[in-house]
Short mmCIF file of all heavy atoms in Angstrom, two decimals:
data_model
loop_
_atom_site.label_atom_id
_atom_site.label_comp_id
_atom_site.label_asym_id
_atom_site.label_seq_id
_atom_site.Cartn_x
_atom_site.Cartn_y
_atom_site.Cartn_z
N GLN A 15 56.03 99.10 -6.09
CA GLN A 15 54.98 99.86 -5.41
C GLN A 15 55.03 101.33 -5.80
O GLN A 15 54.00 101.98 -6.03
CB GLN A 15 55.13 99.71 -3.90
CG GLN A 15 54.78 98.34 -3.37
CD GLN A 15 55.16 98.14 -1.93
OE1 GLN A 15 55.91 98.92 -1.35
NE2 GLN A 15 54.66 97.08 -1.32
N GLU A 16 56.24 101.88 -5.89
CA GLU A 16 56.40 103.29 -6.30
C GLU A 16 55.87 103.49 -7.71
O GLU A 16 55.18 104.48 -7.99
CB GLU A 16 57.88 103.67 -6.23
CG GLU A 16 58.16 105.11 -6.62
CD GLU A 16 59.63 105.44 -6.61
OE1 GLU A 16 60.41 104.73 -5.94
OE2 GLU A 16 60.03 106.42 -7.29
N ALA A 17 56.19 102.57 -8.61
CA ALA A 17 55.71 102.68 -10.00
C ALA A 17 54.19 102.64 -10.05
O ALA A 17 53.57 103.41 -10.79
CB ALA A 17 56.30 101.54 -10.83
N ALA A 18 53.59 101.77 -9.23
CA ALA A 18 52.13 101.66 -9.22
C ALA A 18 51.48 102.94 -8.70
O ALA A 18 50.40 103.33 -9.15
CB ALA A 18 51.71 100.47 -8.36
N GLN A 19 52.13 103.60 -7.75
CA GLN A 19 51.59 104.85 -7.21
C GLN A 19 51.74 106.00 -8.21
O GLN A 19 50.86 106.84 -8.34
CB GLN A 19 52.29 105.19 -5.89
CG GLN A 19 51.93 104.24 -4.76
CD GLN A 19 52.78 104.44 -3.52
OE1 GLN A 19 53.75 105.21 -3.54
NE2 GLN A 19 52.45 103.76 -2.45
N LEU A 20 52.88 106.03 -8.91
CA LEU A 20 53.12 107.10 -9.87
C LEU A 20 52.16 107.04 -11.07
O LEU A 20 51.75 108.06 -11.59
CB LEU A 20 54.57 107.04 -10.36
CG LEU A 20 55.63 107.49 -9.36
CD1 LEU A 20 57.02 107.09 -9.84
CD2 LEU A 20 55.55 108.99 -9.13
N ASP A 21 51.84 105.83 -11.47
CA ASP A 21 50.91 105.66 -12.59
C ASP A 21 49.93 104.53 -12.24
O ASP A 21 50.21 103.36 -12.51
CB ASP A 21 51.65 105.34 -13.89
CG ASP A 21 50.69 105.23 -15.09
OD1 ASP A 21 49.48 105.52 -14.89
OD2 ASP A 21 51.13 104.86 -16.17
N PRO A 22 48.80 104.87 -11.63
CA PRO A 22 47.83 103.85 -11.21
C PRO A 22 47.28 103.02 -12.37
O PRO A 22 46.67 101.97 -12.13
CB PRO A 22 46.72 104.66 -10.54
CG PRO A 22 47.36 105.96 -10.17
CD PRO A 22 48.38 106.22 -11.23
N ASN A 23 47.46 103.50 -13.61
CA ASN A 23 46.93 102.78 -14.76
C ASN A 23 47.95 101.85 -15.41
O ASN A 23 47.68 101.25 -16.45
CB ASN A 23 46.42 103.77 -15.81
CG ASN A 23 45.22 104.56 -15.31
OD1 ASN A 23 44.33 104.01 -14.67
ND2 ASN A 23 45.19 105.85 -15.59
N LEU A 24 49.13 101.74 -14.80
CA LEU A 24 50.17 100.87 -15.35
C LEU A 24 50.00 99.46 -14.76
O LEU A 24 50.17 99.27 -13.56
CB LEU A 24 51.55 101.43 -15.01
CG LEU A 24 52.75 100.76 -15.67
CD1 LEU A 24 52.70 100.96 -17.18
CD2 LEU A 24 54.05 101.33 -15.11
N PRO A 25 49.67 98.45 -15.58
CA PRO A 25 49.35 97.12 -15.04
C PRO A 25 50.58 96.35 -14.54
O PRO A 25 50.48 95.60 -13.55
CB PRO A 25 48.71 96.40 -16.23
CG PRO A 25 48.45 97.43 -17.27
CD PRO A 25 49.44 98.52 -17.03
N GLU A 26 51.72 96.47 -15.23
CA GLU A 26 52.85 95.59 -14.98
C GLU A 26 53.34 95.54 -13.53
O GLU A 26 53.67 94.45 -13.04
CB GLU A 26 54.03 95.99 -15.91
CG GLU A 26 53.83 95.60 -17.36
CD GLU A 26 52.90 96.54 -18.11
OE1 GLU A 26 52.50 97.57 -17.53
OE2 GLU A 26 52.59 96.25 -19.28
N PRO A 27 53.42 96.68 -12.82
CA PRO A 27 53.89 96.58 -11.44
C PRO A 27 53.01 95.69 -10.57
O PRO A 27 53.51 94.99 -9.68
CB PRO A 27 53.83 98.04 -10.94
CG PRO A 27 53.90 98.86 -12.17
CD PRO A 27 53.21 98.07 -13.23
N HIS A 28 51.70 95.66 -10.83
CA HIS A 28 50.79 94.85 -10.02
C HIS A 28 51.04 93.36 -10.27
O HIS A 28 50.99 92.55 -9.33
CB HIS A 28 49.35 95.22 -10.34
CG HIS A 28 49.01 96.63 -10.02
ND1 HIS A 28 48.83 97.08 -8.73
CD2 HIS A 28 48.84 97.71 -10.83
CE1 HIS A 28 48.56 98.38 -8.75
NE2 HIS A 28 48.55 98.79 -10.02
N ALA A 29 51.33 92.98 -11.51
CA ALA A 29 51.63 91.58 -11.80
C ALA A 29 52.91 91.16 -11.10
O ALA A 29 52.99 90.07 -10.52
CB ALA A 29 51.75 91.39 -13.30
N ALA A 30 53.93 92.03 -11.14
CA ALA A 30 55.19 91.71 -10.48
C ALA A 30 55.01 91.60 -8.97
O ALA A 30 55.56 90.70 -8.33
CB ALA A 30 56.22 92.78 -10.82
N LEU A 31 54.24 92.50 -8.41
CA LEU A 31 53.98 92.46 -6.97
C LEU A 31 53.21 91.21 -6.58
O LEU A 31 53.45 90.62 -5.52
CB LEU A 31 53.21 93.71 -6.55
CG LEU A 31 54.03 95.00 -6.48
CD1 LEU A 31 53.11 96.22 -6.30
CD2 LEU A 31 55.03 94.94 -5.34
N ALA A 32 52.28 90.78 -7.43
CA ALA A 32 51.52 89.56 -7.15
C ALA A 32 52.48 88.37 -7.02
O ALA A 32 52.35 87.55 -6.09
CB ALA A 32 50.50 89.32 -8.24
N ASP A 33 53.45 88.26 -7.92
CA ASP A 33 54.43 87.17 -7.87
C ASP A 33 55.28 87.24 -6.62
O ASP A 33 55.56 86.21 -5.97
CB ASP A 33 55.32 87.22 -9.12
CG ASP A 33 54.57 86.82 -10.38
OD1 ASP A 33 53.57 86.08 -10.27
OD2 ASP A 33 54.98 87.26 -11.48
N ILE A 34 55.73 88.47 -6.28
CA ILE A 34 56.59 88.62 -5.10
C ILE A 34 55.82 88.28 -3.82
O ILE A 34 56.31 87.55 -2.94
CB ILE A 34 57.15 90.07 -5.02
CG1 ILE A 34 58.16 90.29 -6.16
CG2 ILE A 34 57.80 90.33 -3.68
CD1 ILE A 34 58.66 91.72 -6.26
N TYR A 35 54.61 88.79 -3.72
CA TYR A 35 53.82 88.55 -2.49
C TYR A 35 53.50 87.08 -2.29
O TYR A 35 53.57 86.55 -1.19
CB TYR A 35 52.55 89.36 -2.54
CG TYR A 35 52.72 90.85 -2.36
CD1 TYR A 35 51.93 91.76 -3.08
CD2 TYR A 35 53.69 91.37 -1.50
CE1 TYR A 35 52.09 93.14 -2.92
CE2 TYR A 35 53.86 92.72 -1.35
CZ TYR A 35 53.05 93.62 -2.06
OH TYR A 35 53.22 94.97 -1.92
N ILE A 36 53.13 86.39 -3.37
CA ILE A 36 52.79 84.97 -3.22
C ILE A 36 54.01 84.18 -2.81
O ILE A 36 53.92 83.19 -2.06
CB ILE A 36 52.15 84.41 -4.52
CG1 ILE A 36 51.35 83.12 -4.20
CG2 ILE A 36 53.18 84.15 -5.58
CD1 ILE A 36 50.11 83.38 -3.40
N SER A 37 55.19 84.58 -3.31
CA SER A 37 56.42 83.87 -2.95
C SER A 37 56.78 84.08 -1.49
O SER A 37 57.48 83.26 -0.88
CB SER A 37 57.59 84.33 -3.85
OG SER A 37 57.95 85.67 -3.54
N LYS A 38 56.33 85.18 -0.91
CA LYS A 38 56.60 85.48 0.50
C LYS A 38 55.48 85.05 1.42
O LYS A 38 55.52 85.31 2.62
CB LYS A 38 56.85 86.99 0.65
CG LYS A 38 58.19 87.46 0.10
CD LYS A 38 58.34 88.96 0.29
CE LYS A 38 59.78 89.37 0.06
NZ LYS A 38 60.71 88.89 1.11
N GLY A 39 54.46 84.42 0.85
CA GLY A 39 53.34 83.97 1.67
C GLY A 39 52.40 85.08 2.09
O GLY A 39 51.56 84.89 2.97
N LYS A 40 52.49 86.25 1.42
CA LYS A 40 51.57 87.36 1.70
C LYS A 40 50.36 87.22 0.78
O LYS A 40 50.24 87.89 -0.24
CB LYS A 40 52.28 88.70 1.48
CG LYS A 40 53.44 88.95 2.44
CD LYS A 40 54.06 90.32 2.20
CE LYS A 40 55.17 90.62 3.19
NZ LYS A 40 55.77 91.96 2.99
N ASN A 41 49.49 86.31 1.16
CA ASN A 41 48.41 85.91 0.27
C ASN A 41 47.39 87.01 0.02
O ASN A 41 46.91 87.16 -1.10
CB ASN A 41 47.73 84.66 0.82
CG ASN A 41 48.68 83.48 0.91
OD1 ASN A 41 49.26 83.07 -0.09
ND2 ASN A 41 48.88 82.95 2.11
N ALA A 42 47.04 87.76 1.06
CA ALA A 42 46.06 88.84 0.87
C ALA A 42 46.59 89.90 -0.08
O ALA A 42 45.88 90.38 -0.98
CB ALA A 42 45.71 89.47 2.22
N GLU A 43 47.87 90.27 0.09
CA GLU A 43 48.48 91.27 -0.79
C GLU A 43 48.61 90.74 -2.21
O GLU A 43 48.40 91.46 -3.19
CB GLU A 43 49.85 91.67 -0.26
CG GLU A 43 49.83 92.46 1.04
CD GLU A 43 49.83 91.57 2.27
OE1 GLU A 43 49.51 90.36 2.12
OE2 GLU A 43 50.13 92.06 3.36
N ALA A 44 48.95 89.45 -2.32
CA ALA A 44 49.09 88.84 -3.65
C ALA A 44 47.75 88.83 -4.38
O ALA A 44 47.68 89.14 -5.58
CB ALA A 44 49.62 87.42 -3.52
N LEU A 45 46.67 88.47 -3.66
CA LEU A 45 45.34 88.44 -4.29
C LEU A 45 44.92 89.84 -4.72
O LEU A 45 44.37 90.01 -5.82
CB LEU A 45 44.32 87.86 -3.31
CG LEU A 45 42.89 87.71 -3.83
CD1 LEU A 45 42.85 86.82 -5.07
CD2 LEU A 45 41.98 87.15 -2.75
N ALA A 46 45.18 90.85 -3.88
CA ALA A 46 44.82 92.23 -4.22
C ALA A 46 45.59 92.70 -5.46
O ALA A 46 45.02 93.35 -6.36
CB ALA A 46 45.09 93.15 -3.05
N ALA A 47 46.88 92.38 -5.53
CA ALA A 47 47.69 92.79 -6.68
C ALA A 47 47.22 92.09 -7.95
O ALA A 47 47.15 92.70 -9.03
CB ALA A 47 49.16 92.50 -6.41
N ALA A 48 46.90 90.80 -7.84
CA ALA A 48 46.42 90.07 -9.01
C ALA A 48 45.09 90.62 -9.50
O ALA A 48 44.87 90.78 -10.72
CB ALA A 48 46.28 88.59 -8.67
N ASN A 49 44.19 90.92 -8.57
CA ASN A 49 42.89 91.49 -8.94
C ASN A 49 43.05 92.84 -9.63
O ASN A 49 42.34 93.15 -10.60
CB ASN A 49 42.00 91.63 -7.72
CG ASN A 49 41.49 90.29 -7.22
OD1 ASN A 49 41.45 89.31 -7.97
ND2 ASN A 49 41.08 90.23 -5.96
N GLN A 50 43.99 93.65 -9.14
CA GLN A 50 44.21 94.98 -9.73
C GLN A 50 44.77 94.83 -11.14
O GLN A 50 44.39 95.58 -12.06
CB GLN A 50 45.17 95.79 -8.86
CG GLN A 50 45.39 97.23 -9.35
CD GLN A 50 44.11 98.06 -9.34
OE1 GLN A 50 43.16 97.75 -8.62
NE2 GLN A 50 44.07 99.11 -10.13
N TYR A 51 45.67 93.86 -11.34
CA TYR A 51 46.21 93.64 -12.68
C TYR A 51 45.09 93.23 -13.64
O TYR A 51 45.02 93.73 -14.77
CB TYR A 51 47.29 92.57 -12.64
CG TYR A 51 47.86 92.26 -14.02
CD1 TYR A 51 48.85 93.06 -14.56
CD2 TYR A 51 47.39 91.18 -14.77
CE1 TYR A 51 49.36 92.80 -15.82
CE2 TYR A 51 47.89 90.92 -16.03
CZ TYR A 51 48.88 91.73 -16.56
OH TYR A 51 49.37 91.48 -17.81
N LEU A 52 44.23 92.30 -13.20
CA LEU A 52 43.15 91.85 -14.07
C LEU A 52 42.16 92.96 -14.36
O LEU A 52 41.56 93.01 -15.44
CB LEU A 52 42.42 90.67 -13.42
CG LEU A 52 43.22 89.36 -13.37
CD1 LEU A 52 42.47 88.31 -12.58
CD2 LEU A 52 43.53 88.86 -14.77
N LYS A 53 42.00 93.87 -13.41
CA LYS A 53 41.12 95.02 -13.64
C LYS A 53 41.68 95.93 -14.73
O LYS A 53 40.94 96.45 -15.57
CB LYS A 53 40.95 95.80 -12.33
CG LYS A 53 40.07 97.02 -12.44
CD LYS A 53 39.97 97.73 -11.09
CE LYS A 53 39.13 99.01 -11.21
NZ LYS A 53 39.07 99.74 -9.90
N LEU A 54 43.00 96.11 -14.71
CA LEU A 54 43.64 97.00 -15.69
C LEU A 54 43.86 96.31 -17.03
O LEU A 54 43.88 96.97 -18.07
CB LEU A 54 44.97 97.51 -15.14
CG LEU A 54 44.89 98.42 -13.90
CD1 LEU A 54 46.28 98.65 -13.33
CD2 LEU A 54 44.25 99.74 -14.27
N ARG A 55 44.07 94.98 -17.00
CA ARG A 55 44.33 94.27 -18.25
C ARG A 55 43.55 92.95 -18.25
O ARG A 55 44.12 91.85 -18.13
CB ARG A 55 45.83 94.01 -18.39
CG ARG A 55 46.22 93.43 -19.73
CD ARG A 55 47.72 93.52 -19.95
NE ARG A 55 48.13 94.88 -20.23
CZ ARG A 55 49.41 95.28 -20.28
NH1 ARG A 55 50.37 94.43 -20.03
NH2 ARG A 55 49.70 96.54 -20.55
N PRO A 56 42.25 93.02 -18.41
CA PRO A 56 41.41 91.82 -18.34
C PRO A 56 41.65 90.84 -19.48
O PRO A 56 41.32 89.66 -19.36
CB PRO A 56 39.98 92.39 -18.39
CG PRO A 56 40.12 93.74 -19.03
CD PRO A 56 41.44 94.25 -18.60
N GLU A 57 42.23 91.30 -20.56
CA GLU A 57 42.46 90.41 -21.70
C GLU A 57 43.64 89.46 -21.47
O GLU A 57 43.84 88.50 -22.23
CB GLU A 57 42.69 91.23 -22.98
CG GLU A 57 44.01 91.97 -23.08
CD GLU A 57 44.04 93.29 -22.31
OE1 GLU A 57 43.04 93.60 -21.63
OE2 GLU A 57 45.06 94.00 -22.41
N ASP A 58 44.45 89.73 -20.44
CA ASP A 58 45.62 88.90 -20.17
C ASP A 58 45.39 88.09 -18.89
O ASP A 58 46.05 88.30 -17.88
CB ASP A 58 46.86 89.80 -20.04
CG ASP A 58 48.15 88.97 -19.93
OD1 ASP A 58 48.11 87.78 -20.29
OD2 ASP A 58 49.15 89.52 -19.47
N GLN A 59 44.45 87.17 -18.94
CA GLN A 59 44.07 86.38 -17.77
C GLN A 59 45.23 85.53 -17.25
O GLN A 59 45.46 85.45 -16.04
CB GLN A 59 42.90 85.47 -18.13
CG GLN A 59 41.61 86.21 -18.42
CD GLN A 59 40.86 86.59 -17.16
OE1 GLN A 59 40.80 85.84 -16.22
NE2 GLN A 59 40.32 87.80 -17.16
#
């Protein structure tokens, strides 16, 4: 989360957060993180 705040254009933290949130059952947070990753890196579906 800190990395994502320091550089909002860095995609990797959002992908990692998506995996962590889904594993914890935080589905809304996981979906938001996944959407943000796809927004920053749409070529890596």
